[in-house]
Amino acid sequence: MKSSGSTAWKAPVKFRMPTAENLVPIRLDIQFEGQRYKDAFTWNPSDPDNEIVVFAKRTVKDLKLPPAFVTQIAQSIQSQLSDFRAYEGQDMYTGEKIIPIKLDLRINHTLIKDQFLWDLNNFESDPEEFARTLCKDLGVVDPEVGPAVAFAIREQLYEIAIQSVASARESRLSKKSRRGSDYGSASKASGLPMDLVKLFSFKSSVVRKRKDLDVYEPVVDLLTNEDVDALEAREERRTR
């Protein structure tokens, strides 16, 4: 992965996912007619909307869900895409912004925890590639873990991107009311005065702070069937 040029760090850009591929994280949790369907995946907001219904019908058919789930699935996807598209065209400030990404996931029998810093200004970053490399380095063999890690990263980047729209809006209002003022850099305003050139290589958007290596060293545990049953029972009680 390549890092963007420094000239782009201070200028606002139009809203999009701060990654190479502009994919929207979609999360579904639908209960209907006594059945429940949960899933998480990414969607290209540029794809035609008629593909949403096609996807919903195929999912219902493959999983043998009641036909009424087609409408429920399609409406949920459409609603989340509409939320994303509502921000398109608006300015988003990402300059010199480094954010912490936290992972605390259970995928089947695998429990994975990690924390690292991500360069929000790198629009060529690839969460999926990072997730594949992480799983390979940690010896994770479950093929479902990598996509779940990438999705968790994208969800957090999406939330930060939305916040960056608000930051850009506030910056415009501030400049209008305080013409000629001397503004500090975004890194100072965010409490993260860092030298990005020194902190990041030009091939990656991820870094682990040396002093935090012991604290935030990746943790992977393989759970027993009993552990999984206990966790699922606890999660079910929590959702009631």
Side-chain angles (χ1 to χ4, degrees):
M1 291 179 283
K2 297 179 181 178
S3 178
S4 304
S6 59
T7 56
W9 288 355
K10 296 184 182 299
V13 297
K14 295 303 179 183
F15 176 83
R16 56 157 292 155
M17 285 293 292
T19 54
E21 292 188 279
N22 188 38
L23 302 177
V24 184
I26 301 291
R27 187 177 290 277
L28 302 179
D29 188 353
I30 300 171
Q31 288 182 289
F32 195 71
E33 296 184 355
Q35 295 194 48
R36 186 177 187 182
Y37 168 61
K38 295 180 65 177
D39 202 0
F41 48 86
T42 57
W43 196 278
N44 189 333
S46 299
D47 287 346
D49 283 354
N50 60 1
E51 292 189 11
I52 297 174
V53 176
V54 174
F55 171 83
K57 289 180 177 179
R58 185 172 63 246
T59 299
V60 167
K61 180 181 179 181
D62 292 345
L63 299 180
K64 296 180 172 56
L65 295 169
F69 267 78
V70 172
T71 300
Q72 300 291 322
I73 292 172
Q75 287 181 346
S76 183
I77 295 174
Q78 186 66 69
S79 175
Q80 293 177 66
L81 286 176
S82 295
D83 290 343
F84 179 88
R85 289 166 177 164
Y87 291 101
E88 291 183 325
Q90 298 188 49
D91 284 341
M92 176 177 79
Y93 189 83
T94 60
E96 297 185 22
K97 197 162 189 177
I98 303 168
I99 62 170
I101 296 291
K102 297 181 180 180
L103 302 177
D104 189 354
L105 306 171
R106 181 184 67 82
I107 305 94
N108 301 324
H109 286 68
T110 303
L111 187 68
I112 181 168
K113 296 183 179 183
D114 197 6
Q115 179 167 316
F116 42 85
L117 299 177
W118 194 281
D119 180 6
L120 197 68
N121 192 61
N122 185 358
F123 282 76
E124 295 184 19
S125 64
D126 188 338
E128 285 73 24
E129 178 62 27
F130 171 79
R132 286 191 292 268
T133 301
L134 180 67
C135 289
K136 181 179 179 181
D137 291 345
L138 298 178
V140 175
V141 296
D142 186 337
E144 295 184 24
V145 175
V149 168
F151 185 88
I153 294 172
R154 283 191 176 276
E155 269 195 324
Q156 294 175 65
L157 293 178
Y158 181 25
E159 290 299 321
I160 297 298
I162 291 175
Q163 294 173 24
S164 297
V165 171
S167 297
R169 188 182 302 119
E170 291 172 2
S171 177
R172 288 197 304 272
L173 293 175
S174 178
K175 287 179 180 178
K176 286 181 180 179
S177 62
R178 298 175 59 189
R179 292 291 184 183
S181 296
D182 182 22
Y183 296 100
S185 69
S187 61
K188 292 180 181 178
S190 65
L192 289 172
M194 300 182 181
D195 186 335
L196 289 185
V197 176
K198 294 179 180 178
L199 187 58
F200 288 94
S201 72
F202 285 95
K203 296 182 179 180
S204 175
S205 62
V206 181
V207 67
R208 299 182 194 277
K209 291 186 288 186
R210 185 177 301 277
K211 67 185 181 63
D212 292 337
L213 285 178
D214 292 335
V215 179
Y216 298 130
E217 184 177 356
V219 175
V220 176
D221 285 329
L222 291 179
L223 305 177
T224 64
N225 291 332
E226 291 75 15
D227 292 334
V228 172
D229 291 341
L231 286 172
E232 290 181 346
R234 190 183 311 158
E235 291 171 359
E236 186 175 349
R237 288 195 299 271
R238 190 181 303 137
T239 57
R240 287 176 182 174

